[in-house]
Amino acid sequence: MLTPDQVKPLLLHEDRDVRSYASQYFANAGATDTEIVDLSLQALLKYGCSTCGGYHLVYNLRRLPAGPSSVPLFLAALEKLKSEPIQADLNWAMGRLPLETWDQHERAILGSKQVTDETHARIARRRVYGRLDGEQLLVDELNDLAAEEDIDEAAAEDVLEALAAMRFPDSAEFEDMLTGDCEPGEPYHLFLVELAGLRRQKNLVPLMVEYMGMKEYELLQEKAERALALMGDPAAIDLIRTRFLRSSWEFKLYAGGVLGAIHEELAEETILGLLKWERDLKGRCCLCIALGDQFSRAAIEIIQRELQDDAIADEHVRAEFNEILLAMSLALGVGIPRQKELLRWRTAQDKRIQDFEDEMKDRLPMLDALEMEDVDWDDEEDWDREDEFGASPDDFPENLPSPVEPLVAKPQPRPNDPCPCGSGKKFKKCCGTR
C-alpha cells in the first residue's frame, strides 16, 4: 500500500478518478496537512471540473484544513469554475478557513464577488463562537441546534470544531454524556459522536465500534464510522477483525470504511486476512473497496479475480469494482489486460450521466411551474374555491383521462443506494456529492 507522501502527488494526476481517490484518501482520514488543499485546488485549476469528473475533489475540500497559501487558489477557482454546486462547496471550504488566515487576506476576499454573503456571515458567527466558553457552546448553542427541525449544518460544524479545540468537557465527563441519558440516534447524541471523532478521543473506540453494529440507527452508524476514521487508532482495526465475519451486512459496510481510512499496514493485513475467510458476497465487496481506498497493490489482483466470478451480477457492485480497478492500475502504474476496455466503459458511463443531467435540466422548469404551495389539497375549502379563471372542480367530469403521465416525486436515495443517474455507483459516491 502507498504511504501518504506517495499518495499526495496523485492529487495532480492526469486521470480524474485517480485524483478523486487521492482526495478521498486524505479526507476520510481527517488529514491535517494544508498542502493537500493547495494541491487539490491546483488540480481543479489545471484540469477543471466536468459533470462527470472532479466533483469528489471539490466536495472533499469541505473536510480538509486550508492555510494562508490556499486563499489565492480558492479565489482563482471561484473565478474560473462557475457551476453553482462547485461554487457552494468552495464557499463552504472557505468558511472553514482559520480566522487569522481570513484576516490576513481579507482585502482580497472582500474584492471577490464569488465569496457569498453566507460565507462572510459564517466567519462572523465563528468569531462569536470563539468568544463563548465551553459550557455556553455545549449547553446553549448545541442544544438549540439539536432542537431545530432543519439543522444548520454549517453552524453545527462550527460549534463542534470550537468545542474540539477547547477539549471541553474533559474526557471522563464526555464519556458519561455519551453513555448517559442521551437517546442513541437523536440529533444531540449524533453531535456528541461527531465531537468524539474531532477530539480524537481514543478511549471511545470500543463504543464507536458498538455503534457501527446498531443497524436500526443508520445515521449513527455513519457518524461512528467517521469518528473512528478520524481517531485513526489501530485498536479499532483489532476490534473490527474480531467481529467482522459474524456481523451483519450493515456493520461490514461501515467497518470496511474504517479499514480503508486508517492508513496502517495492520489495516491492509486485516483486510487481506478477512478476505480469506469471508464468504458473503457483500462482505467481500466491502473489503475490496477498502483495499482500493488504501491504494493497495493487492486490490488489482483481487478485484480482477472477483470480477471473473459470475456471482457478482449487481451492476452497482461491478461498476464500483471497475472504477477502483481502473484508478488503481493508473495510479500504481500497473498494466492490466482490460485497461482500454475500462476506459471505454467509463466514457459510456459518463455519457449516461450527462444525458440524465440534461434531461433533468429540461424537466426542472416544468416542475417549478407545477409547484402550488398555497393550496392544501386535503382542505375542502380550497377545493370549493373557484380558480382564477372562474372554474371550480364541479365544472369537470369525473374520471377524465389524464393527457400526460402524472409526475410522482421519488424518495431521496440513501447514501448507499444505487445512484438514480444509472452510473451503477453508490449515491454517496456519485450524484450525492453534488
Side-chain angles (χ1 to χ4, degrees), residues 56 218 222 249-250 253-254 282 289 314-317 319-320 410-433:
H56 294 88
E218 184 177 358
E222 289 186 21
W249 139 246
E250 290 85 0
L253 173 67
Y254 296 106
K282 289 183 177 180
I289 291 167
D314 189 320
E315 182 185 354
H316 152 231
V317 174
E320 188 143 21
K410 295 183 179 179
Q412 176 78 357
R414 294 188 300 175
N416 297 301
D417 288 344
C419 191
C421 74
S423 67
K425 303 176 189 177
K426 293 179 184 177
F427 178 67
K428 69 180 181 181
K429 290 191 173 184
C430 191
C431 296
T433 64

Side-chain angles (χ1 to χ4, degrees), residues 201-430:
Q201 193 160 330
K202 295 184 178 181
N203 66 305
L204 295 174
V205 164
L207 181 60
M208 296 298 116
V209 174
E210 287 298 320
Y211 284 161
M212 284 202 307
M214 299 175 71
K215 61 182 181 180
E216 64 271 29
Y217 302 110
E218 184 177 358
L219 196 52
L220 176 58
Q221 290 177 300
E222 289 186 21
K223 300 292 186 185
E225 175 198 347
R226 175 66 176 155
L228 287 168
L230 291 177
M231 292 173 188
D233 190 354
I237 300 174
D238 288 331
L239 289 171
I240 288 170
R241 181 177 63 240
T242 58
R243 63 182 291 176
F244 189 93
L245 296 174
R246 56 186 171 83
S247 293
S248 66
W249 139 246
E250 290 85 0
F251 176 86
K252 293 176 181 178
L253 173 67
Y254 296 106
V258 176
L259 292 175
I262 299 179
H263 303 146
E264 300 277 349
E265 288 186 5
L266 177 62
E268 183 184 38
E269 293 170 5
T270 297
I271 296 167
L272 294 173
L274 290 171
L275 277 168
K276 291 179 180 179
W277 296 99
E278 178 61 69
R279 294 294 175 262
D280 177 64
L281 179 59
K282 289 183 177 180
R284 295 185 65 81
C285 290
C286 294
L287 293 169
C288 288
I289 291 167
L291 274 181
D293 289 341
Q294 290 281 15
F295 280 89
S296 169
R297 289 182 179 273
I300 296 175
E301 179 184 350
I302 291 172
I303 290 177
Q304 286 187 105
R305 189 166 63 241
E306 293 289 333
L307 284 170
Q308 292 172 359
D309 188 347
D310 293 335
I312 303 180
D314 189 320
E315 182 185 354
H316 152 231
V317 174
R318 299 189 74 86
E320 188 143 21
F321 275 10
N322 282 335
E323 184 183 278
I324 296 170
L325 184 59
L326 179 58
M328 292 303 108
S329 67
L330 294 171
L332 300 172
V334 177
I336 56 173
R338 296 181 57 226
Q339 194 169 88
K340 290 184 178 179
E341 176 191 339
L342 289 174
L343 286 168
R344 289 194 296 271
W345 166 83
R346 188 173 69 179
T347 300
Q349 294 290 84
D350 288 351
K351 186 177 185 306
R352 289 178 63 183
I353 295 172
Q354 186 63 62
D355 290 346
F356 173 79
E357 293 208 347
D358 290 343
E359 180 183 352
M360 291 307 297
K361 286 177 184 176
D362 293 338
R363 289 189 178 191
L364 281 175
M366 178 173 61
L367 293 171
D368 291 339
L370 289 173
E371 286 184 357
M372 301 183 68
E373 298 178 358
D374 296 332
V375 177
D376 180 0
W377 297 110
D378 295 324
D379 188 342
E380 291 185 2
E381 291 183 4
D382 279 338
W383 276 101
D384 290 338
R385 286 186 319 185
E386 292 189 353
D387 67 18
E388 59 182 314
F389 301 105
S392 71
D394 295 333
D395 297 327
F396 298 93
E398 294 182 3
N399 303 321
L400 185 67
S402 174
V404 294
E405 184 177 338
L407 291 169
V408 179
K410 295 183 179 179
Q412 176 78 357
R414 294 188 300 175
N416 297 301
D417 288 344
C419 191
C421 74
S423 67
K425 303 176 189 177
K426 293 179 184 177
F427 178 67
K428 69 180 181 181
K429 290 191 173 184
C430 191

Side-chain angles (χ1 to χ4, degrees), residues 2 13 35 64 100 111 125 132 162 193 258 262 285 305 314:
L2 299 186
H13 196 278
E35 187 185 2
L64 292 164
E100 58 271 19
R125 182 179 60 215
L132 301 179
V193 173
V258 176
I262 299 179
C285 290
R305 189 166 63 241
D314 189 320

